[in-house]
């Protein structure tokens, strides 16, 4: 046995036989000292239950080759010859994609250094130095849309209303038009007249949807009052929807009835007003003006009378101007502003519209 183990040819033969019989390679572990071969079981043999007797039975322990299947050339089953787990489940190599010039420039731009905080200052004392955020350097107010005022909401609602459809189904007595409502410029002019005259009580003949009534009420003092008349109930109801949203809406009192009858009743009550606005149907405009001018006590001293002349025919306008010119001695101020002919009396008695 020692002869066999000392012979290199026999050693190769035994190694081949051991591989074919699937014997543990540790049986052939040998230690040679001083030209002699000592057979002794290795530590791994003892753990696997291989006794010294099996070693002394004459089986040399040569180097154990990995288990190969018979009749197959080396490498036919690489995972059996070389048990590499990464070959069992092959995966695609994770190659890094080449970096383009644009990507490289972007990386360089993003890799800017953080500004150094000022000395002797805790982090965050100067956030624009510690953290250079441009939106903190020059803060701007957000461009929020301002909410519409009640006056603007009412004006928009009148423009959007289907007045033609209401007339077709008989909800209105006449074909109403959205441009009949007071414009924002007209409303601003009326408020200036209230401030100029110090008005407290206002009379309005023909209020339509109440845009001018609301503008006048907002300019009046806390104890002010607007008395208005309009014959179209649909227009009055629309105006009240928005007038109720305003703090000045409680100052408005609108009557739904014929303007001529309402003025006659009001004249008999001997109520006085500081400002009178007449913007009703143009067919009866002369009668409205004449009633207001000659009703006893309806106009307070130095009150203002404002007559709308935007939708009056040219002949009627000229007739009214002629009447005013003939009575200038009884008037303190006469001027036209925003489609209004404005009169202020000193002694308004004696002025009468000519037919």
């Amino acid at each position: 046995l020692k002869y066999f183990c000392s012979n290199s040819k026999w050693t190769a033969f035994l190694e081949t036989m051991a591989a074919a019989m699937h014997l543990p390679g540790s049986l052939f572990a040998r230690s040679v000292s001083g030209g002699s071969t000592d057979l002794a079981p290795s530590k791994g043999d003892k753990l696997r239950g291989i006794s010294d007797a099996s070693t002394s039975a004459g089986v040399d322990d040569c180097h154990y080759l990995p288990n190969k299947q018979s009749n197959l050339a080396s490498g036919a089953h690489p995972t059996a010859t070389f048990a590499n787990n990464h070959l069992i489940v092959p995966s695609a190599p994770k190659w890094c994609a080449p970096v383009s010039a644009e990507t490289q420039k972007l990386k360089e731009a993003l890799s800017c250094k953080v500004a150094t905080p000022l000395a002797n200052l805790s982090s965050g004392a100067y956030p624009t130095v510690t953290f250079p955020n441009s939106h903190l350097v020059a803060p701007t107010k957000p461009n929020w849309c301002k909410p519409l005022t009640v006056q603007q909401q009412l004006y928009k609602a009148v423009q959007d209303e289907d007045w033609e459809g209401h007339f077709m189904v008989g909800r209105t007595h006449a074909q109403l038009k959205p441009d009949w409502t007071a414009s924002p410029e007209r409303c601003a002019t009326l408020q200036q007249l209230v401030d100029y005259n110090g008005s407290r009580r206002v009379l309005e003949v023909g209020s339509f949807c109440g845009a001018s009534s609301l503008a006048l009420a907002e300019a009046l003092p806390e104890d002010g009052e607007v008395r208005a008349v309009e014959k179209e109930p649909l227009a009055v109801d629309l105006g009240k929807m928005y007038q109720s949203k305003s703090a000045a809406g409680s100052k408005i009192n609108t009557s739904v009835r014929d303007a001529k009858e309402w003025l006659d009743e009001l004249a008999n009550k001997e109520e006085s007003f500081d400002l009178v606005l007449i913007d009703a149907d143009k067919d009866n405009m002369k009668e409205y003006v004449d009633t207001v001018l000659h009703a006893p006590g309806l106009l307070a001293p130095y009150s203002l009378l404002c007559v709308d002349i935007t939708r009056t025919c040219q002949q009627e306008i000229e007739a009214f101007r002629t009447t005013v010119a003939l009575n200038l001695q009884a008037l303190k101020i006469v001027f036209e502003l925003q489609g209004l002919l404005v009169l202020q009396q000193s002694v308004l008695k004696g002025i009468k519209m000519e037919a």
Side-chain angles (χ1 to χ4, degrees), residues 149 151-152 155 181-197 211-220 275 277 304 306 335 337-340 342:
T149 63
Q151 187 74 35
Q152 292 171 335
Y155 183 80
T181 188
S183 64
E185 294 78 15
R186 168 70 68 86
C187 292
T189 300
L190 292 173
Q191 290 178 337
Q192 292 175 357
L193 292 175
V194 169
D195 293 338
Y196 161 77
N197 198 39
S212 54
S213 299
L214 181 58
L216 290 165
E218 291 176 346
L220 292 176
L275 188 148
L277 172 62
L304 291 176
C306 304
F335 59 90
L337 182 65
Q338 283 291 331
L340 293 172
V342 183

Side-chain angles (χ1 to χ4, degrees), residues 285-287 289-290 293-294 315-327 350-355:
M285 178 69 69
K286 295 178 182 179
E287 295 184 19
V289 174
D290 188 64
L293 291 176
H294 296 280
Q315 183 178 357
E316 293 174 338
I317 294 175
E318 293 302 327
F320 187 64
R321 286 172 175 165
T322 301
T323 302
V324 171
L326 293 174
N327 296 273
I351 301 179
K352 186 173 182 178
M353 294 291 297
E354 297 292 339

Side-chain angles (χ1 to χ4, degrees), residues 13-32:
F13 171 75
L14 292 175
E15 289 175 354
T16 304
M17 293 298 293
M21 293 184 293
H22 306 288
L23 294 177
S26 57
L27 290 175
F28 299 95
R30 60 182 179 174
S31 60
V32 181

Side-chain angles (χ1 to χ4, degrees), residues 132-149:
N133 298 314
S134 59
H135 67 280
L136 294 177
V137 176
T140 58
K141 294 183 179 179
N143 295 325
W144 303 113
C145 295
K146 294 182 179 180
L148 296 178
T149 63

Side-chain angles (χ1 to χ4, degrees), residues 18 29 47 54 78 101 108 124 153-154 204 223 244 258 271 277 292 294 307 325:
L47 292 176
S54 60
E108 293 175 357
Q153 294 177 32
L154 175 56
E204 183 178 12
D223 59 344
S244 61
D258 180 74
E271 296 188 43
L277 172 62
V292 170
H294 296 280
V307 182

